[in-house]
mmCIF file with all atom_site columns, all heavy atoms in Angstrom:
data_model
loop_
_atom_site.group_PDB
_atom_site.id
_atom_site.type_symbol
_atom_site.label_atom_id
_atom_site.label_alt_id
_atom_site.label_comp_id
_atom_site.label_asym_id
_atom_site.label_entity_id
_atom_site.label_seq_id
_atom_site.pdbx_PDB_ins_code
_atom_site.Cartn_x
_atom_site.Cartn_y
_atom_site.Cartn_z
_atom_site.occupancy
_atom_site.B_iso_or_equiv
_atom_site.pdbx_formal_charge
_atom_site.auth_seq_id
_atom_site.auth_comp_id
_atom_site.auth_asym_id
_atom_site.auth_atom_id
_atom_site.pdbx_PDB_model_num
ATOM 1  N N   . LEU A 1 66 ? -8.645  -4.349 -13.406 1.00 0.00 ? 66 LEU A N   1
ATOM 2  C CA  . LEU A 1 66 ? -9.311  -3.571 -12.360 1.00 0.00 ? 66 LEU A CA  1
ATOM 3  C C   . LEU A 1 66 ? -8.307  -2.808 -11.500 1.00 0.00 ? 66 LEU A C   1
ATOM 4  O O   . LEU A 1 66 ? -8.504  -1.634 -11.204 1.00 0.00 ? 66 LEU A O   1
ATOM 5  C CB  . LEU A 1 66 ? -10.181 -4.472 -11.485 1.00 0.00 ? 66 LEU A CB  1
ATOM 6  C CG  . LEU A 1 66 ? -10.916 -3.781 -10.331 1.00 0.00 ? 66 LEU A CG  1
ATOM 7  C CD1 . LEU A 1 66 ? -11.873 -2.735 -10.876 1.00 0.00 ? 66 LEU A CD1 1
ATOM 8  C CD2 . LEU A 1 66 ? -11.646 -4.793 -9.483  1.00 0.00 ? 66 LEU A CD2 1
ATOM 9  N N   . GLY A 1 67 ? -7.237  -3.461 -11.110 1.00 0.00 ? 67 GLY A N   1
ATOM 10 C CA  . GLY A 1 67 ? -6.229  -2.790 -10.286 1.00 0.00 ? 67 GLY A CA  1
ATOM 11 C C   . GLY A 1 67 ? -5.638  -1.594 -10.994 1.00 0.00 ? 67 GLY A C   1
ATOM 12 O O   . GLY A 1 67 ? -5.414  -0.546 -10.391 1.00 0.00 ? 67 GLY A O   1
ATOM 13 N N   . ASN A 1 68 ? -5.378  -1.740 -12.291 1.00 0.00 ? 68 ASN A N   1
ATOM 14 C CA  . ASN A 1 68 ? -4.836  -0.621 -13.058 1.00 0.00 ? 68 ASN A CA  1
ATOM 15 C C   . ASN A 1 68 ? -5.850  0.505  -13.155 1.00 0.00 ? 68 ASN A C   1
ATOM 16 O O   . ASN A 1 68 ? -5.493  1.673  -13.101 1.00 0.00 ? 68 ASN A O   1
ATOM 17 C CB  . ASN A 1 68 ? -4.423  -1.075 -14.466 1.00 0.00 ? 68 ASN A CB  1
ATOM 18 C CG  . ASN A 1 68 ? -3.241  -2.014 -14.429 1.00 0.00 ? 68 ASN A CG  1
ATOM 19 O OD1 . ASN A 1 68 ? -2.403  -1.932 -13.546 1.00 0.00 ? 68 ASN A OD1 1
ATOM 20 N ND2 . ASN A 1 68 ? -3.189  -2.923 -15.381 1.00 0.00 ? 68 ASN A ND2 1
ATOM 21 N N   . LYS A 1 69 ? -7.130  0.161  -13.279 1.00 0.00 ? 69 LYS A N   1
ATOM 22 C CA  . LYS A 1 69 ? -8.168  1.185  -13.351 1.00 0.00 ? 69 LYS A CA  1
ATOM 23 C C   . LYS A 1 69 ? -8.286  1.932  -12.027 1.00 0.00 ? 69 LYS A C   1
ATOM 24 O O   . LYS A 1 69 ? -8.475  3.139  -12.009 1.00 0.00 ? 69 LYS A O   1
ATOM 25 C CB  . LYS A 1 69 ? -9.506  0.554  -13.732 1.00 0.00 ? 69 LYS A CB  1
ATOM 26 C CG  . LYS A 1 69 ? -9.532  0.048  -15.153 1.00 0.00 ? 69 LYS A CG  1
ATOM 27 C CD  . LYS A 1 69 ? -10.814 -0.679 -15.457 1.00 0.00 ? 69 LYS A CD  1
ATOM 28 C CE  . LYS A 1 69 ? -10.747 -1.312 -16.839 1.00 0.00 ? 69 LYS A CE  1
ATOM 29 N NZ  . LYS A 1 69 ? -11.865 -2.186 -17.106 1.00 0.00 ? 69 LYS A NZ  1
ATOM 30 N N   . ILE A 1 70 ? -8.179  1.184  -10.917 1.00 0.00 ? 70 ILE A N   1
ATOM 31 C CA  . ILE A 1 70 ? -8.272  1.813  -9.601  1.00 0.00 ? 70 ILE A CA  1
ATOM 32 C C   . ILE A 1 70 ? -7.111  2.774  -9.403  1.00 0.00 ? 70 ILE A C   1
ATOM 33 O O   . ILE A 1 70 ? -7.296  3.921  -9.002  1.00 0.00 ? 70 ILE A O   1
ATOM 34 C CB  . ILE A 1 70 ? -8.298  0.751  -8.470  1.00 0.00 ? 70 ILE A CB  1
ATOM 35 C CG1 . ILE A 1 70 ? -9.614  -0.024 -8.531  1.00 0.00 ? 70 ILE A CG1 1
ATOM 36 C CG2 . ILE A 1 70 ? -8.117  1.417  -7.106  1.00 0.00 ? 70 ILE A CG2 1
ATOM 37 C CD1 . ILE A 1 70 ? -9.651  -1.231 -7.631  1.00 0.00 ? 70 ILE A CD1 1
ATOM 38 N N   . SER A 1 71 ? -5.886  2.311  -9.701  1.00 0.00 ? 71 SER A N   1
ATOM 39 C CA  . SER A 1 71 ? -4.749  3.201  -9.508  1.00 0.00 ? 71 SER A CA  1
ATOM 40 C C   . SER A 1 71 ? -4.805  4.368  -10.493 1.00 0.00 ? 71 SER A C   1
ATOM 41 O O   . SER A 1 71 ? -4.377  5.474  -10.181 1.00 0.00 ? 71 SER A O   1
ATOM 42 C CB  . SER A 1 71 ? -3.422  2.452  -9.641  1.00 0.00 ? 71 SER A CB  1
ATOM 43 O OG  . SER A 1 71 ? -3.240  1.956  -10.941 1.00 0.00 ? 71 SER A OG  1
ATOM 44 N N   . GLY A 1 72 ? -5.384  4.138  -11.675 1.00 0.00 ? 72 GLY A N   1
ATOM 45 C CA  . GLY A 1 72 ? -5.523  5.202  -12.663 1.00 0.00 ? 72 GLY A CA  1
ATOM 46 C C   . GLY A 1 72 ? -6.532  6.255  -12.241 1.00 0.00 ? 72 GLY A C   1
ATOM 47 O O   . GLY A 1 72 ? -6.511  7.380  -12.746 1.00 0.00 ? 72 GLY A O   1
ATOM 48 N N   . ALA A 1 73 ? -7.392  5.917  -11.305 1.00 0.00 ? 73 ALA A N   1
ATOM 49 C CA  . ALA A 1 73 ? -8.390  6.870  -10.841 1.00 0.00 ? 73 ALA A CA  1
ATOM 50 C C   . ALA A 1 73 ? -7.752  8.033  -10.092 1.00 0.00 ? 73 ALA A C   1
ATOM 51 O O   . ALA A 1 73 ? -8.365  9.074  -9.919  1.00 0.00 ? 73 ALA A O   1
ATOM 52 C CB  . ALA A 1 73 ? -9.406  6.173  -9.923  1.00 0.00 ? 73 ALA A CB  1
ATOM 53 N N   . PHE A 1 74 ? -6.496  7.848  -9.693  1.00 0.00 ? 74 PHE A N   1
ATOM 54 C CA  . PHE A 1 74 ? -5.801  8.902  -8.955  1.00 0.00 ? 74 PHE A CA  1
ATOM 55 C C   . PHE A 1 74 ? -5.053  9.836  -9.884  1.00 0.00 ? 74 PHE A C   1
ATOM 56 O O   . PHE A 1 74 ? -4.273  10.651 -9.436  1.00 0.00 ? 74 PHE A O   1
ATOM 57 C CB  . PHE A 1 74 ? -4.847  8.284  -7.919  1.00 0.00 ? 74 PHE A CB  1
ATOM 58 C CG  . PHE A 1 74 ? -5.581  7.500  -6.871  1.00 0.00 ? 74 PHE A CG  1
ATOM 59 C CD1 . PHE A 1 74 ? -5.493  6.129  -6.829  1.00 0.00 ? 74 PHE A CD1 1
ATOM 60 C CD2 . PHE A 1 74 ? -6.375  8.139  -5.933  1.00 0.00 ? 74 PHE A CD2 1
ATOM 61 C CE1 . PHE A 1 74 ? -6.172  5.406  -5.875  1.00 0.00 ? 74 PHE A CE1 1
ATOM 62 C CE2 . PHE A 1 74 ? -7.051  7.426  -4.974  1.00 0.00 ? 74 PHE A CE2 1
ATOM 63 C CZ  . PHE A 1 74 ? -6.956  6.055  -4.941  1.00 0.00 ? 74 PHE A CZ  1
ATOM 64 N N   . GLY A 1 75 ? -5.286  9.710  -11.181 1.00 0.00 ? 75 GLY A N   1
ATOM 65 C CA  . GLY A 1 75 ? -4.687  10.621 -12.132 1.00 0.00 ? 75 GLY A CA  1
ATOM 66 C C   . GLY A 1 75 ? -3.622  9.953  -12.977 1.00 0.00 ? 75 GLY A C   1
ATOM 67 O O   . GLY A 1 75 ? -3.181  8.868  -12.665 1.00 0.00 ? 75 GLY A O   1
ATOM 68 N N   . PRO A 1 76 ? -3.222  10.605 -14.036 1.00 0.00 ? 76 PRO A N   1
ATOM 69 C CA  . PRO A 1 76 ? -2.196  10.037 -14.920 1.00 0.00 ? 76 PRO A CA  1
ATOM 70 C C   . PRO A 1 76 ? -0.845  10.018 -14.243 1.00 0.00 ? 76 PRO A C   1
ATOM 71 O O   . PRO A 1 76 ? -0.569  10.819 -13.355 1.00 0.00 ? 76 PRO A O   1
ATOM 72 C CB  . PRO A 1 76 ? -2.187  10.986 -16.127 1.00 0.00 ? 76 PRO A CB  1
ATOM 73 C CG  . PRO A 1 76 ? -2.713  12.270 -15.597 1.00 0.00 ? 76 PRO A CG  1
ATOM 74 C CD  . PRO A 1 76 ? -3.676  11.917 -14.499 1.00 0.00 ? 76 PRO A CD  1
ATOM 75 N N   . LYS A 1 77 ? -0.006  9.104  -14.683 1.00 0.00 ? 77 LYS A N   1
ATOM 76 C CA  . LYS A 1 77 ? 1.334   8.969  -14.106 1.00 0.00 ? 77 LYS A CA  1
ATOM 77 C C   . LYS A 1 77 ? 2.225   10.086 -14.553 1.00 0.00 ? 77 LYS A C   1
ATOM 78 O O   . LYS A 1 77 ? 2.138   10.612 -15.598 1.00 0.00 ? 77 LYS A O   1
ATOM 79 C CB  . LYS A 1 77 ? 1.928   7.633  -14.519 1.00 0.00 ? 77 LYS A CB  1
ATOM 80 C CG  . LYS A 1 77 ? 3.128   7.266  -13.689 1.00 0.00 ? 77 LYS A CG  1
ATOM 81 C CD  . LYS A 1 77 ? 3.489   5.840  -13.939 1.00 0.00 ? 77 LYS A CD  1
ATOM 82 C CE  . LYS A 1 77 ? 4.573   5.443  -12.977 1.00 0.00 ? 77 LYS A CE  1
ATOM 83 N NZ  . LYS A 1 77 ? 5.026   4.125  -13.143 1.00 0.00 ? 77 LYS A NZ  1
#
Side-chain angles (χ1 to χ4, degrees):
L66 179 61
N68 292 330
K69 291 175 186 171
I70 291 170
S71 65
F74 296 110
K77 195 168 187 182

